[in-house]
Amino acid sequence: MESLLSIQYAESIPHERTCSMHQDEKAKICWGRLKSGEPCANKAVSTGTLNEVPTCGVHRRLPRKSASCVAQLPCGFQCRRTCVFQVHGFQLCSLHPDTSTTCYFMKIPIELRQRIYGYLLPTKPIPARKSNSGPVPLVWLEILRANRQIHEEGIQLLYGTGPFVVEICKDGLSMCHSPAVRQTYKPPPRFVGPPGGIGHHALQDYQMQLMLLEQQNKKRLMMERAQREANGGSSRQVRIQAPSVNGLMSSPPPLTPENFNKIRSFVVEIIFDDAQLRGSQIANYYNPNEPLAPDVLERAIFDYCDHLHKLVGRLQLQQLTRLHVKIRFGGIYAKWDDAAVAARFLLQPLRRLRNVSQADVLSITMQSLGKDELDIVPSLLKYIHFWSLDLQSTRPPDHFPVFEAYWQLEDMVNNLRSHYKLDMRSEQLQDYLHGARVAREANDQATFGVIWNQIVNIHMDYLNHQKAFQTNMAMTIDRINGLLMREQE
C-alpha cells in the first residue's frame, strides 16, 4: 500500500522537477546587453511582471516578451527554459540555438496546403500593368521562398489556376507589370565580314575566307551524306529545316520560359487607342479631332496582327484551359460597323489555337469623341460563336505556305535594311514588307510571289553595285601599287 502511494505521489510531481535535464538556473542572469554588444552579467531582479524575461536594475526599462524553449530533450520532453520571444521563428533558449525543429506544415495533406496557398497567393487576374488606383489586394508571395517543395507546390497553383493578363498595344506585349516589349525573331548566327583590316590585300583575304568557308560547308555536307548512306538512309533527304513560326516570340518578361509554360489561363487585352497611334507625331502638327490617315491606320492594325501571331505561336506550345479576349477601340472609329470589321480582323490570328477548354470574347467596346462607350459584341455573336468552336476544336489548324514564308521574308528584309542602313532601298523594302503582310492575311500566294521577286531584284541590284564597287577599288589599288613600285625601281 505504501509503495502504491509513493508511485502515485511521484507521478503527481511535474517532470521538470524530477528530471536532471530540467533543473532551472540557480541564479537568473539579466537578458539585457551592454553597449559593446556583450550580454549583461548582472543578477536579474524580479519585477513581478509576467511574460517578461528577467532583467537587472540597469535594463529594467527595456522589457522584452518571454517565451519557453521548445527544443526536444533526450528525455522526451521540451526544454521549457525562459528565452526571448521570436516573432518569426521557433522559440529556443541560449543552450539550444541550433536545434532543428519539425515543420508540421509539411505533414498535413497536400489538399489542405493548397487551400492555405489559396489564401496567401493572388486569386484575381494578374494585371499587365501596375495600377495606381483602387485597393491593392493582400498577397503574401514570401511563402514561395520558404523551401523548394513549398515553392513548387505554390507556383503550380499560382500559374496553373490564376489567369494572367497579356496586354497588346502599339509597342508590343506587356505582362506582369512589365513595360511593353516588341517581340522579334532571332535568326541563327551568320558569318560576318569582311574584316576591317588596313592592308592592301584586304579584299583578296576576304574572298579567300569566303572560299575556305564554302569548302568547309561542302566537306561537312559530304560527311553527313556519307554517314547517312552508311546507316541505310537516302542521300536525298538532306534538307535545311526552316525555323517554325512557334519560335517567333520569346516569353514576355519578367517570366522565365519554364514558368510561362505553366500558365493555363490567359486574358488577352487588345488596346487599339488613338493616343498610342498618334504618339509618334508631334502635337503641333496634327489636329486631335482629325481622323487618322487610312494608310497609318492600316499599318497599325497589321502591326497588332503581327503581335498576335507571335503570341499565338508561343501559346501553341502549351495546353490552355481558358482564353478570354477583350478589345477596346479608343477614338479610332466613328461608326460601329468599322470597329466590328477591325475586331474580326484582330480576332482572326487567335483562330490558329486549338484544344482550348474555354474560349470567349468578354467585351469589344468603342468610344468616339464626345460619346459614351458602345459595346459591339451583340453585332458579332455569330462570328464569336464559330470563333470559339475553332479554338475548342481538336483538329489541327490549316498551314499555308504564304504564312510560313512571310516570317522568313521579314527576317531577310530586316537584315537587308540593317545592311543598307541609310540607302534609299531601305524604305522601299519596308513598303514591300507591308504588302507581303497584306498578302499573308489574305493568303494571296500570287501577290506574295510578285513582292518576293521584287525584293530579290533589289538585293541582286545591290550586289551588282557592290561588285562593281569592289572591282573599281581593286583596280585603283593595283594602279597605285604599280606607280609606287615603278618609282622605287
Side-chain angles (χ1 to χ4, degrees):
M1 185 69 179
E2 294 180 357
S3 61
L4 180 62
L5 291 175
S6 61
I7 293 175
Q8 293 178 351
Y9 176 75
E11 290 180 349
S12 64
I13 299 175
H15 175 78
E16 289 83 355
R17 297 174 60 181
T18 59
C19 180
S20 60
M21 297 183 181
H22 291 275
Q23 291 181 357
D24 286 337
E25 302 91 336
K26 294 181 180 180
K28 294 185 177 296
I29 305 301
C30 174
W31 284 81
R33 288 190 174 273
L34 304 179
K35 292 183 178 180
S36 60
E38 298 179 357
C40 179
N42 297 334
K43 185 178 179 180
V45 178
S46 176
T47 59
T49 306
L50 297 177
N51 299 329
E52 286 189 4
V53 293
T55 56
C56 65
V58 178
H59 299 100
R60 66 180 182 276
R61 296 179 180 271
L62 302 174
R64 303 178 71 181
K65 189 176 180 181
S66 65
S68 299
C69 179
V70 296
Q72 202 79 8
L73 297 181
C75 63
F77 288 81
Q78 293 182 352
C79 174
R80 308 297 297 172
R81 288 177 179 269
T82 303
C83 62
V84 179
F85 176 76
Q86 302 292 334
V87 179
H88 300 290
F90 294 99
Q91 314 304 326
L92 299 173
C93 65
S94 58
L95 299 180
H96 309 97
D98 301 326
T99 303
S100 60
T101 53
T102 304
C103 180
Y104 295 98
F105 180 76
M106 305 307 301
K107 294 187 176 182
I108 64 177
I110 180 62
E111 294 80 9
L112 294 180
R113 292 203 300 270
Q114 292 287 350
R115 294 190 63 179
I116 295 174
Y117 297 146
Y119 290 107
L120 301 177
L121 300 178
T123 56
K124 296 183 178 180
I126 309 299
R129 297 178 184 269
K130 191 172 183 179
S131 176
N132 296 327
S133 60
V136 179
L138 295 178
V139 295
W140 288 269
L141 297 178
E142 293 80 3
I143 185 65
L144 300 178
R145 304 177 185 175
N147 56 42
R148 187 181 298 273
Q149 182 178 352
I150 292 179
H151 179 269
E152 292 298 326
E153 295 174 354
I155 62 175
Q156 291 295 337
L157 179 68
L158 176 63
Y159 295 123
T161 60
F164 283 73
V165 180
V166 179
E167 181 182 301
I168 299 179
C169 59
K170 176 180 177 294
D171 298 327
L173 278 68
S174 176
M175 186 177 180
C176 296
H177 298 175
S178 64
V181 177
R182 184 177 295 273
Q183 304 294 335
T184 57
Y185 170 65
K186 298 180 180 180
R190 291 177 171 82
F191 177 77
V192 291
I198 357 177
H200 294 298
H201 302 284
L203 178 61
Q204 288 82 353
D205 294 342
Y206 174 54
Q207 292 175 349
M208 184 63 68
Q209 290 180 14
L210 291 179
M211 189 182 304
L212 292 175
L213 182 64
E214 185 178 359
Q215 292 177 359
Q216 292 176 3
N217 291 336
K218 288 183 178 179
K219 184 178 180 181
R220 179 176 55 82
L221 290 176
M222 291 177 63
M223 293 175 61
E224 291 180 357
R225 186 179 304 169
Q227 184 179 1
R228 189 176 290 105
E229 289 177 353
N231 296 334
S234 173
S235 61
R236 295 185 179 182
Q237 295 178 354
V238 180
R239 185 178 62 177
I240 299 177
Q241 295 289 340
S244 172
V245 70
N246 287 334
L248 290 177
M249 194 201 96
S250 58
S251 299
L255 295 182
T256 61
E258 293 77 13
N259 290 335
F260 188 84
N261 291 338
K262 297 174 183 176
I263 302 177
R264 296 292 178 263
S265 178
F266 286 93
V267 178
V268 179
E269 292 185 356
I270 306 174
I271 302 178
F272 202 67
D273 191 57
D274 178 77
Q276 293 184 1
L277 300 184
R278 298 182 189 269
S280 59
Q281 304 179 19
I282 303 176
N284 297 332
Y285 288 88
Y286 78 94
N287 183 5
N289 297 324
E290 183 179 351
L292 288 169
D295 58 333
V296 175
L297 192 57
E298 179 184 347
R299 288 179 180 269
I301 200 168
F302 274 97
D303 288 339
Y304 276 72
C305 281
D306 288 350
H307 300 327
L308 287 168
H309 278 304
K310 294 170 184 177
L311 175 63
V312 169
R314 185 61 180 82
L315 296 181
Q316 285 179 333
L317 301 178
Q318 56 200 84
Q319 179 65 39
L320 300 181
T321 59
R322 181 170 50 187
L323 179 68
H324 291 163
V325 180
K326 297 180 180 179
I327 304 178
R328 179 169 63 86
F329 298 102
I332 298 290
Y333 299 103
K335 300 180 180 179
W336 70 267
D337 50 350
D338 295 337
V341 172
R344 294 182 57 175
F345 195 81
L346 293 175
L347 289 173
Q348 193 66 21
L350 297 172
R351 301 186 78 160
R352 294 170 41 225
L353 291 173
R354 291 294 183 270
N355 299 319
V356 182
S357 302
Q358 300 178 16
D360 195 11
V361 178
L362 299 183
S363 64
I364 303 177
T365 58
M366 62 165 291
Q367 186 173 15
S368 302
L369 293 175
K371 297 183 179 180
D372 296 335
E373 201 170 58
L374 177 64
D375 186 10
I376 59 177
V377 169
S379 62
L380 295 173
L381 289 179
K382 185 176 181 180
Y383 176 83
I384 294 175
H385 172 71
F386 289 104
W387 178 85
S388 301
L389 293 179
D390 284 343
L391 269 67
Q392 297 172 5
S393 174
T394 58
R395 62 178 178 84
D398 298 329
H399 292 279
F400 302 103
V402 174
F403 181 80
E404 297 287 345
Y406 169 80
W407 305 107
Q408 307 299 320
L409 180 64
E410 183 186 55
D411 174 37
M412 175 182 173
V413 169
N414 290 335
N415 282 280
L416 290 177
R417 291 189 65 197
S418 63
H419 185 69
Y420 293 163
K421 294 182 180 178
L422 299 179
D423 195 282
M424 59 169 37
R425 301 177 183 87
S426 179
E427 295 299 328
Q428 190 177 5
L429 285 173
Q430 190 67 15
D431 294 336
Y432 279 129
L433 184 61
H434 175 65
R437 289 195 300 182
V438 177
R440 176 198 70 193
E441 295 300 322
N443 194 25
D444 188 353
Q445 189 168 351
T447 303
F448 189 88
V450 173
I451 296 174
W452 161 249
N453 291 331
Q454 293 292 336
I455 294 177
V456 171
N457 291 335
I458 292 176
H459 179 55
M460 297 305 297
D461 292 342
Y462 181 79
L463 291 181
N464 293 332
H465 175 74
Q466 290 294 104
K467 186 176 181 180
F469 174 76
Q470 293 175 1
T471 303
N472 293 334
M473 291 299 296
M475 293 174 60
T476 303
I477 292 173
D478 291 340
R479 284 197 298 267
I480 295 175
N481 285 335
L483 292 174
L484 293 177
M485 294 298 294
R486 187 185 306 172
E487 185 68 23
Q488 292 179 0
E489 293 177 356

